[in-house]
């Protein structure tokens, strides 16, 4: 099925985007599930069956909120989220390193010791996005 969809493209952020603090509300399938955070405070999300754990930054450190939802539904609500694996979304602002070899790659994120796997399908799009970001910084 993956070959049916072709390459995965990761859009490049533009310099014209404002850097102000924008708040977002994440809503789950249950009525009582909602979380309002700043867009820049989102760190990563992990899907486990019918639930998604959203990790975000607060004044007291990293916190987690669980939603009954799909990863694709949460991704639509988080503009800074990049999918790096079938079960993970990541905010690239918190990216520290990309490590591993051709068979097994993973990401290290600041504020946590957890390693996040990168699927081979998403690796090409991620490296393209990161190389374009570094070229923009040099200009």
């Amino acid at each position: 099925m993956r070959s049916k969809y072709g390459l995965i493209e990761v859009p490049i952020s533009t310099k014209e985007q404002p850097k102000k603090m924008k708040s977002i509300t994440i809503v789950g399938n249950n009525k009582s599930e909602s979380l309002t955070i700043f867009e820049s405070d989102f760190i990563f999300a992990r899907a486990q069956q019918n639930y998604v754990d959203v990790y975000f930054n607060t004044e007291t450190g990293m916190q987690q909120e669980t939603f009954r939802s799909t990863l694709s539904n949460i991704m639509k609500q988080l503009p800074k989220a990049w999918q790096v694996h079938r079960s993970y979304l990541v905010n690239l602002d918190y990216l520290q390193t990309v490590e591993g070899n051709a068979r097994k790659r993973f990401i290290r994120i600041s504020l946590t010791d957890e390693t996040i796997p990168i699927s081979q399908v998403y690796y090409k799009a991620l490296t393209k996005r990161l190389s374009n970001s570094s070229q923009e910084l040099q200009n």
Side-chain angles (χ1 to χ4, degrees), residues 44-57:
F44 74 96
R46 175 180 46 215
Q48 297 177 354
Q49 294 177 344
N50 295 334
Y51 296 92
V52 178
D53 297 329
V54 176
Y55 294 84
F56 55 97
N57 194 17

Side-chain angles (χ1 to χ4, degrees), residues 87-106:
S87 302
Y88 285 91
L89 299 175
V90 174
N91 183 349
L92 295 181
D93 294 343
Y94 290 94
L95 177 73
Q96 278 187 319
T97 60
V98 177
E99 301 174 2
N101 56 29
R103 291 185 131 294
K104 188 172 183 179
R105 298 180 180 102
F106 56 90

Side-chain angles (χ1 to χ4, degrees), residues 14-22 39:
T14 59
K15 294 180 181 179
E16 297 93 39
Q17 291 178 343
K19 298 289 182 186
K20 63 182 176 183
M21 298 292 265
K22 180 181 171 187
E39 185 180 39

